[in-house]
Amino acid sequence: MAAGSALLVGLVEEFVSGQQDSKAADTATGLKAGQFTILQLVEALGLHLASSQPQTRARGVQLLSNVLQQCHGDLTEREVDVLLAFYENRLKDHYVITPHVLKGMNALTKCSVLPPGSAVSILKSLFQDVHVQSLMLVERSCVYNILTQLMESRESELKGLGADFVFGFVQSVDGERDPRNLLLAFQIARKIIHGGYDLGKFTEELFEVTSCYFPIDFSPPPNDPHGITQEELILALRAVLTGTPRFAEFLLPLIIEKLDSDVQSAKVDSLQTLTACASVYEHKELAEFLPGLWASLRREVFQTASERVESAGLAALGALTACISRSVLNSDSEDYLNVFLDLVLKDCQHHLCEPDLKLVWPSAKLLQATSTASYRASHRVAAAIMPSLIEQYNSRTQVSHTSQLGKSSEEDESVLLDFRQSLCSIVFSALSENSAGLQITSLRVLTALSQQTGETPDLSMAQGDSATPSQKHSQQAVRQRCLTALAAVSSQPSVVQESTPVLLQVLTTSHTGMCHYHTLFCLCIGRPFLNMSYPVIIDRLTVCPGQVEVPQMDRLLLELEELSCTCDHPFSYTSAAKCYAGLVNKRPAGECSSPVLDLSLVNCAWLSSLTDKLFSLLSDSELGSLAADGFSLLMSDSPDVLNRGCNADVRIMYRQRFFTENSAKLVQGFNSAAQEKKSGYLKALSHIVNYLPRQVQLTELPALLPLLLEALSCPDQAVQLSTLSCLQPVLMDPPSALITQLEALVGRTLTLTTSPAMKVRIASLRCIHALSRFPEHEIMPFRARVLRALAVPLDDLKRMVRSEAVVARNEWFLLGSPGGR
C-alpha cells in the first residue's frame, strides 16, 4: 500500500502542476486496479484542495472529477455519500471551480448506490448555489443531464420537493438559447408534465419559460456537426405546450396571436400545435376561445395562398370540432358544438349560394372539414346546406356552377340517406354532362351512396335472403343502371381513375361460381373504358381459379379477340390478348362450344406458325429486335397472366421442348442472314438459352458456343447483357467446351468492361470473376492481361462497377501466389 501511496502522490503532483493531463487516466487505472481508493485520492489532494489559489483548487477538483467519470460504477454507498458532501460544499467555492464540480456531480448521479435523500440534497445545492445561465454551454448541459438522470432514477424523491422542483427548473432554464440544451430542457419539461410532478403555483411560469420559444424559428447552420434540426425542436416544444390542459388558458391566446404572423412556417406551426391541443383538451378548455379561434381559422383558409397553411387550418378545424363533439351534455350545460357550428355556418353557408365569388370553395372546404369531424357535426351541417345545394343544382345549367356538389356532400355517409332520392336524381343528371370534372364529382357522390344501407344504389352488397322477389328485382335494376352509367361516362383517364375502383369492387364481392357481375362488367363497359382500365382489370379476371364459372364465356372470348385484333391502343390490345390467353389456358379440354372451339382451333394454328413468323422477322431491319424480345415472352413466366400464381396451367419441360424444336431453325437463320442482320438472331438465342435449366444449358453449350461468342461482339447492348447473364452462371462451373474458347472469352469479355452501359460493365466483370475459377494452368497466361485491363473499371465513376472490379481483381491477383487458390 505504501508503494501505491507514493504512486498516487506522484500522479497527483504531475496533474495539478499542469505538466501531465494524461495522469488522470493513469490515476483511474490505478484506482480500478485496487492500488488505492477514491477516498485516498481525496486525501492526497488535500493540500491542493485547500490552496489559496483558485486555479490550484480547480486542478485538484478536475482530477477527482475526471477519475469519477471513469470509475463511478465501482464506488460504495459510503464513498458516494462522502463525495457528494464534498462536491456540494465546493459549489460555494470560486466560479472557476464550478465546471469541474458539476462534471463530478454528473458522474455521481449515475451511481447505482446513490444514498437515499441525496437527489434532493444535490438539487437544493444546484438551485441555491449555481446561476445556470451564467455558465458556459457545456456546463449548462451538465446541469440538464443531472436533472434528467435524477428524474429517471430518483423520481419519488424529486416529487417530494413539490412545486419547488418546478421552480428550480424554471430558474435554471430561463434564458437558454443553445439548440442542443433547449432539446434537453424541453425533454425535462415534458417529463415534469407527463410524470405527474406538482406544478403548484408555477404553472404559468413553466409555460412562460418554454412558450417564449414558440414558434421555433431556429435554422441550423450549414454543415452543423450536431445535427439538430428545426423539426426536432418544433416537436419537442409542441409536446410540452400541448402536454396538459392547464396550459390552455395561456396557449390558446398565444396561438391566436401567432396566427397573425407574416411568416408561413409560424402559421403552420401554430395550426399544427392547435390540432395537437384538441386531442388533449376537453370542451371546457376551448369554450372561451372558440370565437377567436374560428375567426383566425376562417381568415387563414379564406385568405391564404399557401396550400400548407390551408391544409393545416382545415386539419385544426376538424380537430376542434371533434374535441367539442366529445362533450357530454346535461341539463345544465351549454351545447358548445351547436354554438361553434352556428359560427361556422353563419360565415360559410351564404357563400355557397354565390358560386361566382372566390369564397365558395374555401367555404365548402371549411364546411367539409367540420362535417367530417364527427357524426353530430355531419348531421347538423348536412341538414343546413344540402337543401340549398340541391335547389341550386336544379336551378342552374352551367357545369361550372354544379360541380361544388361533391365537395360538400362527402360527410359521414349515413347522413346522405335523408337526401338519397334527390341526390340520385342529381347524380344521374350530372353523369350525362360532358365535363370530366363534374363526372368525377358525381362518381364520388355515387360511391358514397353505394356504401349506404336501405334502398340506395348499393353497388357492393349482395342481395339479402330476406328481400322479396320484387325488391330484389328493383335493387338489381338500380345496380345495373349504376354500372351502365359508370361505364358510359368512363371515357377519359381522369374519370376512369375514379370509376375503376368502384367497378372492381363489384368483381371482388361476387360469389364464387356466380360471376354475373364479372360478365356484366366486361360487356356493359364502353370501349374507351377498356382502353384505359384493362391493365387493372386483367389481374382480377386472370387470378380466378380454373373452377370458377364465368357465364357467357363464349361471348367474352369473342369480345376479347375482337378488341385484341382491331383496337389501335397498345395497352388495350395487349391486355385483351393476355386476358384471352389466361381464360383459354384455364378452360378444361373438351368444354368449348362450337364457335369457341372453332376460334380456339384457329388460334392454335396461329400459335403453331407464330415461331416461324418470329424467325422470319429476326432479319427485318425494323422489327428484328422486337421479334427477338418475343422469344423472351415465350420462354419466361408471364408476371400477370400465365404463371402458377395466377392458377394457370403450366406444363413441365415446355421450355426444353421449345428449344429442341426450334434451335436448329435459329442456327440456320443466323448462318444465312447478312452480317448486319445477325443481331436479331443473337438476341433471340440469348433469350432462349437464358431461360433453359442449367443442365440443358451445359448439354447444348458446345453447339451454341460460337453463336454466344459472336453475340458478345454484337453492338446491341441488350444482346450483350443477355448473353453475359447467360454465360456467367455457366462459367462458375465450366464445361470442357468453354476451356477451348478461353482466348475469345477473355478478350471479348474484357472489351465489355468499358461499355457505355453500366449494367453491361457489371455483368462483364462478374464473368471475368467467374473465369478465375477455371483450372489455374489454363488461365495463368491471361493473368497479367486481365490485371492491366481491370485498372480501368477500378476507377469507374459508378460505385457498383468499382465494387465488382475489386472482387474480380482480387481473385486474379491471387492466382499462382502462396496461399492463393
Side-chain angles (χ1 to χ4, degrees), residues 189-202:
R190 183 176 182 273
K191 290 178 181 178
I192 290 174
I193 293 169
H194 290 274
Y197 287 80
D198 180 16
L199 303 185
K201 60 183 179 181
F202 301 114

Side-chain angles (χ1 to χ4, degrees), residues 167-209:
F167 180 67
F169 168 71
V170 168
Q171 283 188 311
S172 300
V173 78
D174 191 10
E176 181 62 66
R177 300 298 300 169
D178 183 76
R180 288 164 288 175
N181 283 342
L182 281 176
L183 270 182
L184 294 174
F186 292 158
Q187 290 164 5
I188 294 171
R190 183 176 182 273
K191 290 178 181 178
I192 290 174
I193 293 169
H194 290 274
Y197 287 80
D198 180 16
L199 303 185
K201 60 183 179 181
F202 301 114
T203 301
E204 185 172 3
E205 283 76 6
L206 180 60
F207 175 80
E208 290 293 340
V209 82

Side-chain angles (χ1 to χ4, degrees), residues 57-73:
R57 299 200 300 276
R59 289 289 288 179
V61 176
Q62 182 182 2
L63 174 60
L64 180 60
S65 296
N66 287 353
V67 171
L68 284 177
Q69 285 184 300
Q70 301 180 55
C71 303
H72 62 82

Side-chain angles (χ1 to χ4, degrees), residues 234-251:
I234 288 174
L235 295 177
L237 177 56
R238 186 177 298 158
V240 175
L241 298 181
T242 63
T244 172
R246 296 181 64 179
F247 282 170
E249 61 177 310
F250 314 116
L251 178 58

Side-chain angles (χ1 to χ4, degrees), residues 201-359:
K201 60 183 179 181
F202 301 114
T203 301
E204 185 172 3
E205 283 76 6
L206 180 60
F207 175 80
E208 290 293 340
V209 82
T210 51
S211 65
C212 63
Y213 303 100
F214 177 79
I216 295 289
D217 60 358
F218 165 76
S219 296
N223 303 318
D224 176 25
H226 307 292
I228 303 296
T229 66
Q230 184 183 44
E231 186 67 14
E232 281 182 294
L233 289 168
I234 288 174
L235 295 177
L237 177 56
R238 186 177 298 158
V240 175
L241 298 181
T242 63
T244 172
R246 296 181 64 179
F247 282 170
E249 61 177 310
F250 314 116
L251 178 58
L252 294 177
L254 180 62
I255 288 176
I256 293 173
E257 174 191 332
K258 298 300 182 182
L259 283 174
D260 285 330
S261 169
D262 294 328
V263 182
Q264 184 184 120
S265 61
K267 289 180 181 288
V268 173
D269 190 2
S270 299
L271 291 167
Q272 291 176 343
T273 301
L274 178 59
T275 302
C277 289
S279 64
V280 179
Y281 294 175
E282 295 182 8
H283 68 281
K284 61 179 181 291
E285 283 88 26
L286 295 171
E288 178 185 350
F289 305 99
L290 286 176
L293 289 170
W294 163 243
S296 296
L297 292 173
R298 178 193 62 201
R299 182 188 67 242
E300 294 308 318
V301 176
F302 275 0
Q303 298 179 7
T304 186
S306 164
E307 289 187 8
R308 285 188 68 212
V309 173
E310 180 188 83
S311 176
L314 294 173
L317 177 60
L320 282 179
T321 307
C323 177
I324 306 168
S325 300
R326 292 193 292 267
S327 61
V328 178
L329 298 180
N330 56 55
S331 58
D332 299 325
S333 67
E334 185 175 11
D335 189 346
Y336 291 106
L337 178 61
N338 271 334
V339 172
F340 184 64
L341 292 180
D342 284 341
L343 294 173
V344 177
L345 289 168
K346 177 184 176 183
D347 290 338
C348 295
Q349 187 173 1
H350 65 280
H351 291 303
L352 299 182
C353 301
E354 303 165 348
D356 292 325
L357 301 181
K358 65 178 181 180
L359 294 181

Side-chain angles (χ1 to χ4, degrees), residues 661-712:
E661 294 171 2
N662 295 287
S663 58
K665 298 178 186 177
L666 190 64
V667 175
Q668 181 182 356
F670 172 82
N671 291 331
S672 61
Q675 185 63 35
E676 66 275 9
K677 296 183 178 181
K678 290 181 180 291
S679 62
Y681 292 92
L682 296 174
K683 190 175 185 180
L685 173 67
S686 62
H687 283 321
I688 294 173
V689 175
N690 249 328
Y691 289 105
L692 288 176
R694 175 170 168 72
Q695 192 55 47
V696 179
Q697 288 179 340
L698 294 175
T699 303
E700 301 295 337
L701 197 62
L704 298 178
L705 190 57
L707 270 70
L708 291 174
L709 292 175
E710 186 74 23
L712 292 179

Side-chain angles (χ1 to χ4, degrees), residues 616-630:
S616 68
L617 289 174
L618 288 175
S619 58
D620 189 280
S621 56
E622 294 183 2
L623 300 177
S625 179
L626 189 61
D629 288 335

